[in-house]
């Protein structure tokens, strides 16, 4: 019974609530499904997979900005997004996968932890069990399979360190547009 309720609830989120264009109404529903800190903004069309423990599996800190078309998979592992994190359009973050070597197609899981001031550029993919260190940058199109050190810039498939970020990280993300698509 609880499982059926969770499926329906998740369907309603991804089919309707996440598409509400008026931000304060959409954010009201988003906060029913995820923990979201103050000053953070989750855009339209951010989808979630989050059946078992919805409110605890995806947490977003303060002053984060998550752009449209992102996917946050909190099915088994947790996605922990800390403060001042900027996630660009079309990023997919997974906490669950199949073990390709298992005879029965078993699943395996891992938390994804995104430390303060991380910038994930567009269309990156973050795989289960990865930690993105404070202030690192994930270049667009990267597939991140391993932890990324703080203040590094990682890109490519699979992602490797391609540079070092020189920013002193003096900013606070404070962008809450009325209409944003
Ligand atoms: C991270 C990013 C800003 C580049 O950072 P940078 O420090 O300026 O990197 P550079 O351009 O100096 O490139 C450094 C090296 O990484 C390579 N590189 C740059 N971007 C790359 C990418 N997305 N994937 C793989 N390699 C990349 C460059 O070719 C260069 O390699 P080389 O040293 O062999 O010539 C850029 O890759 C990026 O992702 N931009 C985001 C675009 C975007 O998503 N915009 C919307 C959100 S605001």
């Amino acid at each position: 019974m609880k499982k059926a309720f969770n499926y329906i609830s998740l369907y309603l989120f991804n089919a309707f609530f996440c598409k509400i264009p008026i931000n304060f109404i959409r954010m009201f529903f988003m906060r029913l499904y995820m923990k979201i800190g103050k000053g953070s903004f989750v855009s339209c069309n951010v989808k979630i997979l989050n059946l078992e423990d919805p409110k605890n599996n995806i947490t977003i800190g303060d002053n984060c900005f998550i752009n449209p078309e992102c996917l946050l998979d909190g099915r088994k592992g947790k996605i922990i997004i800390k403060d001042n994190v900027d996630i660009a359009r079309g990023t997919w973050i997974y906490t669950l996968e199949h073990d390709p070597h298992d005879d029965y197609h078993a699943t395996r899981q891992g938390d994804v932890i995104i430390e303060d001031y991380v910038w994930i550029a567009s269309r990156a993919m973050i795989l289960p069990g990865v930690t993105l260190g404070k202030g690192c940058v994930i270049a667009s199109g990267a597939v991140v399979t391993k932890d990324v050190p703080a203040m590094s810039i990682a890109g490519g498939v699979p992602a490797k360190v391609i540079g070092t970020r020189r920013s002193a990280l003096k900013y606070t993300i404070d962008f809450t547009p009325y209409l944003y698509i």
Side-chain angles (χ1 to χ4, degrees), residues 86 88-89 119-123 137-142 153-156 162-164:
D86 182 5
R89 207 170 278 262
W119 170 35
I120 304 178
S122 51
R123 282 195 169 258
V137 174
I138 306 304
S140 53
I153 301 174
I162 57 172
T164 301

Side-chain angles (χ1 to χ4, degrees), residues 17-35:
F17 300 149
C18 79
K19 297 183 199 292
I20 296 171
I22 299 166
N23 291 323
F24 78 92
I25 301 176
R26 186 183 66 261
M27 287 302 291
F28 168 80
F29 284 103
M30 296 228 159
R31 286 181 200 279
L32 299 178
Y33 285 81
M34 298 174 264
K35 280 191 187 137

Side-chain angles (χ1 to χ4, degrees), residues 123-125 127 139-145 154-162:
R123 282 195 169 258
M125 191 175 299
L127 300 192
S140 53
V143 176
V144 183
T145 59
V157 182
K160 305 261 187 254
V161 173
I162 57 172

Side-chain angles (χ1 to χ4, degrees), residues 60-75:
I60 299 171
D62 297 337
N63 300 100
C64 295
F65 195 93
I66 302 190
N67 274 274
E69 319 300 343
C70 289
L71 174 74
L72 306 176
D73 164 19
R75 280 175 295 177

Side-chain angles (χ1 to χ4, degrees), residues 77-93:
K78 292 182 192 305
I79 297 178
I80 301 169
I81 299 171
K82 301 213 178 156
D83 301 334
N84 277 298
V85 171
D86 182 5
I87 302 183
R89 207 170 278 262
T91 292
W92 290 3
I93 301 175

